[in-house]
Amino acid sequence: MSWTAAGPVLVINSGSSSLKYQLVVPDTAEVLASGLIEQIGESSGRISHSTGEQSWTREDPVADHGAALTLLREQFAAHGPDLDGVGITAVGHRVVHGGSRFSDPVVIDDDVLVEIEKLSPLAPLHNPAALAGIRAARERFAVPHVAVFDTAFFAGLPAAASTYAIPAELAAEHAIKKYGFHGTSHEFVSRRAAEVLGRSTEDFRVIVFHLGNGASVSAVRGGAAIETSMGLTPLQGLVMGTRSGDIDPSIYPYLHDAAGLSIPEIDTLLNKRSGLKGLCGDNDFRVLDRRIADGDEAAERAFAVYVHRLRTYLGAYAFALGRLDAVVFTAGVGENNARVRAAATADLEHFGLVLDEARNTERSRSARVVSATDSPVTIMVVPTDEELAIARKAEQLVG
Ligand code: AMP
């Protein structure tokens, strides 16, 4: 690793109604503080701040992202650490959509802001929120600000993987292609898996399942992504907490005609009311697990649909890679839910995947192997850390 000892980086993940932050030292991964400001723009807001040893929460309305950044500074002033004293080297911002324009992190100037703004039609919920956070942060922190894009790791996808089979001119005119998301996590986790196994990334072929409330899978060969399940938007691919993932595109016009739903209504339906939530009413796996234990059929079916999709992608991506060294699970569900990992990899001994039940059910926060010692394909759990990855990229760029 080439980064040098330097001050901490403030990482900001600005969503439409929330703003997450973390003050982290890139080379040691030490988190000095973190916080979450929620319900921005609503009549009541919630502000929480933690220094690891202690946490504080208060309720107060937060008018907009500017007010959120003022509150962020107030939290540090009240509870520490002293933001002006710690010597922040950069502020790293998560930006969801970098389009075809951004394949690497970039130091933010006025031109970059214009470019990110131009990409807003591709990510109407995410990019305007990131922009609001960046603008407010630039006014309050006189250090370099770096944008790290969720799409960047997938910018080099082979054209055969990123091209939709629609008229080529239309796709070019409207920048329609598979962009992929969660890239910072897929890159971090695939590299970390190679590191843990003592393998060079150049000769490592791995499938990464990022299973959180949003979920995606990638195939990574020699450190580069060759496939991923999310598309033009984060709606494509796996069954997620509230998103449908893959469906027959004809369901859109059919719902319009048969159910009388407008396009915005269908979009909301597929993004917010589908997935596990649509199938059984719950999207939290902890609740789902309890319901399944009680013999709840809707929860069992939701679980089966979720796992079936995982296995279908697992098979497809193994073939895309040609050889499979490891399968890695990460994010909230991937790291914590042994049943999902077991079901996704069950009965695949013929294809070289042999899970070790005891290892799989052991609780741990570390990156670890959960397959049998003699399993030809290594199955792993590798905790993701997008904030640390963003901090390191920001530090590398400006440090
Ligand atoms: P993420 O988007 O990565 O924060 O993941 C959120 C999801 O992870 C939640 O909706 C839960 O389904 C799942 N999750 C989080 N913690 C646990 C846990 N301890 N056990 C099982 N599932 C969990």
Side-chain angles (χ1 to χ4, degrees):
M1 302 287 164
S2 60
W3 53 82
T4 50
V9 171
L10 178 64
V11 177
I12 294 180
N13 183 348
S14 176
S16 53
S17 66
S18 70
L19 188 145
K20 264 199 284 188
Y21 60 88
Q22 196 175 91
L23 184 67
V24 57
V25 183
D27 52 349
T28 61
E30 187 189 357
V31 177
L32 304 179
S34 60
L36 175 63
I37 299 168
E38 294 170 279
Q39 293 159 293
I40 298 173
E42 293 174 28
S43 55
S44 64
R46 192 181 158 86
I47 303 120
S48 40
H49 183 84
S50 165
T51 54
E53 293 135 20
Q54 236 184 314
S55 300
W56 299 263
T57 302
R58 61 179 244 234
E59 316 244 320
D60 248 330
V62 188
D64 53 25
H65 288 79
L69 258 296
T70 300
L71 282 162
L72 179 155
R73 285 217 74 129
E74 279 174 23
Q75 293 299 299
F76 278 99
H79 309 300
D82 169 20
L83 273 185
D84 298 315
V86 290
I88 292 176
T89 44
V91 179
H93 296 269
R94 175 181 182 228
V95 181
V96 165
H97 220 305
S100 300
R101 170 70 180 74
F102 297 107
S103 51
D104 286 302
V106 60
V107 176
I108 298 167
D109 58 20
D110 292 342
D111 292 340
V112 168
L113 284 183
V114 170
E115 293 291 324
I116 295 174
E117 191 148 30
K118 278 192 202 157
L119 294 166
S120 287
L122 287 170
L125 294 179
H126 295 108
N127 275 24
L131 279 169
I134 292 169
R135 290 204 172 100
R138 280 179 89 207
E139 283 170 16
R140 290 163 178 84
F141 294 98
V143 293
H145 289 247
V146 174
V148 177
F149 299 91
D150 241 33
T151 47
F153 186 52
F154 302 117
L157 280 184
S162 66
T163 305
Y164 291 112
I166 60 173
E169 313 75 50
L170 192 69
E173 191 187 337
H174 296 285
I176 297 170
K177 58 178 254 195
K178 177 181 272 193
Y179 289 99
F181 299 87
H182 294 144
T184 307
S185 175
H186 284 280
E187 182 182 25
F188 178 86
V189 166
S190 57
R191 298 218 164 133
R192 181 93 182 95
E195 196 179 284
V196 168
L197 297 178
R199 301 279 302 257
S200 84
T201 47
E202 282 71 39
D203 183 40
F204 190 53
R205 301 188 190 191
V206 56
I207 293 174
V208 177
F209 282 102
H210 176 111
L211 308 179
N213 202 23
S216 63
V217 50
S218 69
V220 181
R221 184 167 70 200
I226 62 156
E227 247 299 9
T228 194
S229 58
M230 284 178 167
L232 174 77
T233 75
L235 182 56
Q236 195 184 339
L238 302 177
V239 176
M240 309 181 211
T242 64
R243 291 179 219 146
S244 63
D246 297 335
I247 58 165
D248 180 344
S250 296
I251 292 175
Y252 278 73
Y254 186 76
L255 274 174
H256 177 70
D257 293 344
L261 298 178
S262 68
I263 288 179
E265 283 169 341
I266 297 169
D267 201 45
T268 303
L269 176 88
L270 296 174
N271 276 290
K272 301 251 164 76
R273 288 167 44 213
S274 296
L276 296 169
K277 184 149 190 103
L279 288 168
C280 74
D282 278 308
N283 60 313
D284 191 312
F285 258 96
R286 288 161 287 200
V287 180
L288 217 63
D289 276 345
R290 283 199 291 278
R291 286 178 55 184
I292 290 169
D294 293 340
D296 182 319
E297 274 180 32
E300 275 170 12
R301 189 167 52 248
F303 184 85
V305 174
Y306 184 90
V307 168
H308 176 80
R309 187 80 52 88
L310 296 183
R311 291 172 68 89
T312 308
Y313 271 90
L314 175 58
Y317 284 14
F319 268 58
L321 285 169
R323 185 194 82 215
L324 186 58
D325 297 316
V327 175
V328 184
F329 292 90
T330 193
V333 179
E335 291 169 30
N336 294 299
N337 197 300
R339 286 188 66 240
V340 166
R341 296 192 297 263
T345 57
D347 304 320
L348 294 176
E349 294 81 5
H350 179 73
F351 293 101
L353 283 88
V354 188
L355 195 76
D356 182 297
E357 207 189 309
R359 286 177 180 171
N360 187 44
T361 48
E362 195 180 306
R363 293 207 68 87
S364 160
R365 293 196 160 274
S366 311
R368 60 199 185 275
V369 171
V370 294
S371 50
T373 307
D374 59 356
S375 177
V377 176
T378 306
I379 306 169
M380 302 176 76
V381 178
V382 176
T384 192
D385 194 338
E386 286 164 290
E387 282 76 17
L388 177 61
I390 290 171
R392 286 182 172 168
K393 284 175 184 293
E395 207 273 323
Q396 272 172 328
L397 199 60
V398 306

